[in-house]
Amino acid sequence: MLGRVNHIAIAVPDLNVATASYRDTLGAKVSQAQALPEHGVTVVFVELENTKVELLEPLGETSPIAAFLEKNPSGGMHHICYEVADILAARDQLSATGARVLGTGEPKIGAHGKPVLFLHPKDFFGTLIELEQV
Ligand SMILES: CC[C@H](C(=O)O)C(=O)SCCNC(=O)CCNC(=O)[C@H](O)C(C)(C)COP(=O)(O)OP(=O)(O)OC[C@H]1O[C@@H](n2cnc3c(N)ncnc32)[C@H](O)[C@@H]1OP(=O)(O)O
Ligand SMILES: [Co+2]
């Protein structure tokens, strides 16, 4: 079911500080910040040769990363995003095994303009998984 790692996400308390650190200290290529109100986050992508790192800052009162940052105030690794060829087939296959698909269960359009879904971290060894259809 799984294809490539599309990105690894890090929740950060201050996106400007984190972006400057990746750009100026680590010498990485970084994207412009993108606000995604439907997802409750603002994102910057760090573009690497073999994958991307997604820096996430909470946006709005009901951000899904707010509780995570309360528990990890200096930030932390938040999720890993795997590519899948058919997100609805992946969802149905996973649901049949008892894995919890988060939210309504219907894919939303993610930061790359493609359908995404999230799987509960308690079902995958403490790691929140995002699936992105490519
Ligand atoms: C789509 C735009 C962009 C993109 O790439 O295109 C993004 O990636 S947006 C990313 C932000 N969106 C999401 O994270 C959506 C999915 N997340 C959720 O639905 C929630 O955050 C959820 C269900 C993972 C946790 O929410 P909840 O309100 O239940 O928070 P709790 O603090 O009560 O957590 C319950 C339990 O899970 C542990 N937990 C929470 N988050 C994580 C995590 N990121 N990694 C590992 N574990 C996590 C938390 O510690 C609690 O454990 P407990 O043992 O009970 O303390
Ligand atoms: Co993501």
Side-chain angles (χ1 to χ4, degrees):
M1 180 192 303
L2 298 185
R4 292 155 54 104
V5 172
N6 183 274
H7 61 267
I8 295 161
I10 303 175
V12 301
D14 186 323
L15 191 58
N16 287 333
V17 169
T19 302
S21 176
Y22 267 86
R23 183 186 58 226
D24 302 333
T25 307
L26 295 170
K29 186 176 172 199
V30 297
S31 72
Q32 291 295 311
Q34 184 184 0
L36 295 168
E38 197 195 350
H39 291 283
V41 293
T42 305
V43 302
V44 164
F45 281 97
V46 179
E47 290 156 26
L48 305 172
E49 278 188 20
N50 59 345
T51 191
K52 296 180 277 294
V53 171
E54 178 182 57
L55 303 175
L56 297 171
E57 181 185 65
L59 177 65
E61 297 298 313
T62 56
S63 174
I65 69 169
F68 181 90
L69 276 170
E70 273 168 30
K71 289 180 186 164
N72 304 277
S74 56
M77 289 211 2
H78 184 262
H79 65 265
I80 184 162
C81 177
Y82 298 111
E83 296 178 355
V84 293
D86 183 337
I87 200 163
L88 295 180
R91 176 197 65 187
D92 293 345
Q93 193 177 325
L94 287 159
S95 294
T97 70
R100 286 168 285 179
V101 179
L102 295 170
T104 63
E106 292 306 316
K108 287 186 183 176
I109 298 302
H112 302 119
K114 301 199 170 145
V116 300
L117 281 173
F118 289 86
L119 306 174
H120 201 287
K122 295 292 184 195
D123 294 338
F124 292 98
F125 318 102
T127 303
L128 176 62
I129 291 179
E130 179 181 358
L131 300 177
E132 179 174 312
Q133 180 172 291
V134 293

